[in-house]
């Protein structure tokens, strides 16, 4: 056995003690001065005998028990383990540094509250504090300037005003044409531009450096003319290719347990291929740019759905690892599901 300290540990001071957090596994443990010094000495792979040389006062049996307990909390990692391979992948494939990695990896595969639980939390908060205002007004401002009415003459703004998130489905299926228009609105290529790298695709939404880091996948459950299953959407030639997976999970199983999604006939999954943007931008601020781009794509999909009489419900509550497995994601370090939208005709009450 060879072990070393995990490289994905961050340390903070909380209530007078040092707490270590492994952002790759989401595990935390208290870390006193002696343990902190020990972990600093364990930056390279060491055998148990070598480890014993660092703490000669501990018996061999006690040493092995201690090492095992530190492996269990992901303070130490074992050579050849899955965690060691994941760390190596981050070291070679993640180029935006620890702060972006800390956020990115620590929010994957989270446990989400149900709608009832979130409502209970809000009710409890209301009894203790007043929520912040949702907008600022100019009611008491002497210099207020009234703007011309916006909705009356713009069909685009009227379409945008009709957009609503409806978490109930009406007719059981959606049309293939409706899905096609939503995919093209969000991801379709409308032309090309040139720079020192060569030809770069242009789409309906802005993309930092025209790197277009997103791929769209479709989980078709009830789309007219489309067999149920998972598909990849190619923006290059506006086509679908069925994936090998034969699994047919309930949407809630890949959307963070959100049971409202189980009646939806279609789910669009937006997966970021971070290396496309990393290739050009070394600044970690580009990570934030990639996340923002998902919002641009999602808004276009929602407007196209509204035009078709559908509702596209966006969500960031994703079950990341199951989605990666279903889609056959090849590089789980830099290829991650970021955003999803369900497609359906609204229920009768809407």
């Amino acid at each position: 056995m060879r072990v070393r300290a995990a490289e994905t540990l961050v340390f903070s001071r909380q209530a007078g003690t040092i707490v270590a957090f492994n952002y790759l596994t989401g595990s935390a443990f208290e870390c006193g001065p002696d343990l902190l010094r020990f972990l600093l000495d364990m930056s390279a792979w060491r055998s148990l005998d070598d480890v014993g040389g660092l703490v000669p006062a501990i018996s061999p049996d006690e040493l092995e028990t201690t090492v095992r307990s530190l492996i269990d909390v992901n303070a130490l990692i074992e050579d050849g383990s899955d965690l060691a391979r994941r760390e190596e992948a981050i070291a070679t494939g993640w180029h935006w540094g620890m702060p972006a990695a800390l956020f990115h990896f620590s929010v994957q595969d989270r446990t989400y509250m149900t709608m009832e639980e979130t409502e209970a939390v809000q009710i409890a908060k209301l009894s203790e504090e007043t929520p912040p205002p949702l907008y600022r007004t100019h009611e008491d401002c002497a210099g207020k300037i009234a703007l011309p009415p916006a909705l009356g003459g713009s069909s685009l703004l009227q379409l945008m005003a009709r957009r609503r998130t409806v978490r109930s489905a009406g007719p059981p299926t959606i049309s293939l044409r409706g899905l096609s228009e939503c995919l093209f609105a969000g991801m379709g290529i409308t032309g090309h531009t040139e720079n020192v790298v060569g030809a770069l695709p242009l789409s309906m939404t802005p993309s930092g450096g025209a790197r277009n880091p997103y791929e769209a996948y479709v989980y078709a459950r009830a789309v007219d003319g489309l067999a149920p299953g998972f598909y990849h959407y190619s923006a290059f030639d506006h086509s679908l290719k069925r994936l090998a997976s034969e699994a047919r999970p309930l949407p809630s199983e890949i959307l963070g347990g959100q049971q409202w999604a189980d009646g939806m006939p279609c789910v669009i999954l937006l997966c970021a291929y971070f290396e496309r943007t990393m290739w050009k931008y070394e600044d970690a601020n580009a990570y934030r740019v990639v996340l923002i781009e998902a919002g641009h794509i999602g808004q276009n999909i929602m407007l196209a759905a509204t035009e078709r009489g559908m509702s596209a419900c966006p969500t960031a509550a994703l079950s990341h690892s199951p989605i990666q497995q279903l889609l056959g994601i090849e590089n789980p370090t830099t290829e991650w599901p970021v955003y999803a939208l369900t497609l359906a005709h609204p229920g009768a009450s809407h």
Side-chain angles (χ1 to χ4, degrees), residues 125-278:
K125 284 186 175 181
L126 280 174
S127 67
E128 299 173 356
E129 58 184 276
T130 301
L134 298 181
Y135 45 79
R136 294 178 179 177
T137 72
H138 295 154
E139 291 180 356
D140 299 323
C141 177
K144 180 172 68 172
I145 301 171
L147 296 172
L151 280 178
S154 171
S155 59
L156 174 60
L157 291 182
Q158 291 172 15
L159 170 66
M160 295 171 70
R162 296 203 313 268
R163 189 217 62 82
R164 290 292 180 269
T165 298
V166 181
R167 294 191 174 94
S168 63
T173 65
I174 64 171
S175 70
L176 184 58
R177 179 167 293 278
L179 172 61
S180 169
E181 291 177 3
C182 288
L183 289 170
F184 191 82
M187 302 285 296
I189 294 174
T190 58
H192 290 82
T193 186
E194 294 270 346
N195 72 358
V196 294
V197 174
L200 297 170
L202 297 174
S203 67
M204 301 269 211
T205 63
S207 178
R211 298 306 301 167
N212 293 282
Y214 280 92
E215 294 289 330
Y217 295 84
V218 174
Y219 181 20
R221 305 180 70 231
V223 179
D224 291 335
L226 203 60
F230 286 89
Y231 295 80
H232 170 255
Y233 171 67
S234 171
F236 179 78
D237 56 9
H238 189 56
S239 66
L240 293 173
K241 177 185 177 181
R242 189 168 181 176
L243 303 184
S245 176
E246 294 296 330
R248 301 291 181 268
L250 290 171
S252 60
E253 295 179 67
I254 60 175
L255 300 181
Q258 300 176 98
Q259 294 182 352
W260 61 264
D262 288 341
M264 298 296 176
C266 186
V267 181
I268 296 175
L269 299 163
L270 299 179
C271 293
Y273 285 59
F274 289 99
E275 63 267 27
R276 293 180 187 170
T277 303
M278 282 180 179

